[in-house]
Amino acid sequence: MTAARRTQEERRETTIRKLLDAATEALIEDGYAAASVQNVCDRAGLSQGALFRHFATREELMVAVGHDVGQRTLARYRREFEALSAKENPLELAIRLVRDRCRSRLNQAWYELAIAARTSPSLRKKLQPVAMQYWTDIVRLAAGLLPDLHAALGDRFPVLVSTIVAVFDGESVHGFLLPDPGTEEARLEILGALAGAFAPGRNAASRTRGHRSRS
């Protein structure tokens, strides 16, 4: 690749990054309906022509934001897990980090897109493949970080992962109006205990304790 071609590609990537970041901020701060092309361009410091050179429609840009948010969320999750897994119980850490990512500022952009897709057939059709890939990547990451649990549960592992994500998605949306820190902490503890029941060796350990108590 020539220097001129490389510079051109770098400019293109820089412009796209500005547009994705600006659209993400517009979703978070103003909501999907108000995240207009002009809003995004003003935030990015770019013209509408620059936007449409890279994205044919506003909807196409928003779908790209969905993909970008998912990848950034998973990358942050992996970094945090790998930094802390030697110091904490891996399963408890994994569950807590799911809650943290669901509550994160970045994830608010994903919620805005998901809610908008409910009433927009066009957006829903285009966003569904992104959501399916995001879910596949979530399960793959979880399996890689918790290999023993994945092996123990087999086909039920994605169900456990989906349940944990669904709980904290619901908690996050519910918390927009009715935050309840006390209940939320208790929920984290209960969910950790329930998930821990599936952990390898748990049943054997329980049987051993039961045998000892009867002796």
Side-chain angles (χ1 to χ4, degrees):
M1 183 182 292
T2 65
R5 177 68 180 275
R6 185 168 55 251
T7 301
Q8 183 179 7
E9 183 64 22
E10 289 171 351
R11 286 199 298 268
R12 177 180 180 276
E13 291 176 357
T14 297
T15 299
I16 290 175
R17 183 73 263 162
K18 287 181 178 180
L19 290 168
L20 291 173
D21 289 345
T24 300
E25 287 300 307
L27 285 169
I28 293 169
E29 295 185 0
D30 303 323
Y32 183 82
S36 63
V37 168
Q38 190 60 58
N39 184 337
V40 172
C41 290
D42 288 346
R43 288 174 178 273
L46 297 167
S47 67
Q48 292 192 23
L51 186 153
F52 288 121
R53 276 197 295 274
H54 300 286
F55 299 99
T57 63
R58 169 181 179 264
E59 201 167 72
E60 184 179 306
L61 169 63
M62 292 302 171
V63 171
V65 167
H67 173 74
D68 183 63
V69 166
Q71 294 303 302
R72 291 167 63 190
T73 296
L74 291 180
R76 173 76 179 270
Y77 186 98
R78 179 187 288 278
R79 288 196 304 271
E80 292 180 340
F81 184 93
E82 291 177 346
L84 298 170
S85 58
K87 306 172 186 176
E88 301 184 34
N89 177 287
L91 179 57
E92 293 176 0
L93 172 63
I95 294 172
R96 178 170 60 77
L97 290 180
V98 170
R99 184 181 71 170
D100 290 349
R101 291 304 94 221
C102 286
R103 291 179 170 187
S104 70
R105 188 173 187 277
L106 179 63
N107 202 49
Q108 307 312 305
W110 179 260
Y111 289 146
E112 283 294 325
L113 291 171
I115 292 169
R118 185 185 71 84
T119 54
S120 172
S122 176
L123 178 61
R124 183 165 64 248
K125 181 178 180 180
K126 293 176 181 177
L127 194 60
Q128 278 178 334
V130 173
M132 290 176 64
Q133 184 60 55
Y134 188 19
W135 168 241
T136 298
D137 292 342
I138 288 172
V139 174
R140 183 181 297 116
L141 177 60
L145 297 179
L146 300 170
D148 293 341
L149 184 60
H150 176 239
L153 287 178
D155 292 343
R156 293 184 299 164
F157 183 75
V159 178
L160 177 62
V161 175
S162 176
T163 300
I164 292 170
V165 172
V167 166
F168 290 127
D169 273 340
E171 180 185 84
S172 295
V173 174
H174 184 75
F176 293 157
L177 290 175
L178 298 172
D180 185 350
T183 298
E184 291 163 6
E185 287 306 306
R187 182 180 295 119
L188 181 64
E189 181 180 347
I190 290 171
L191 192 57
L194 291 173
F198 295 101
R202 176 63 180 267
N203 291 335
S206 297
R207 287 194 298 270
T208 299
R209 286 195 299 270
H211 176 74
R212 288 173 178 171
S213 66
R214 291 192 298 270
S215 299

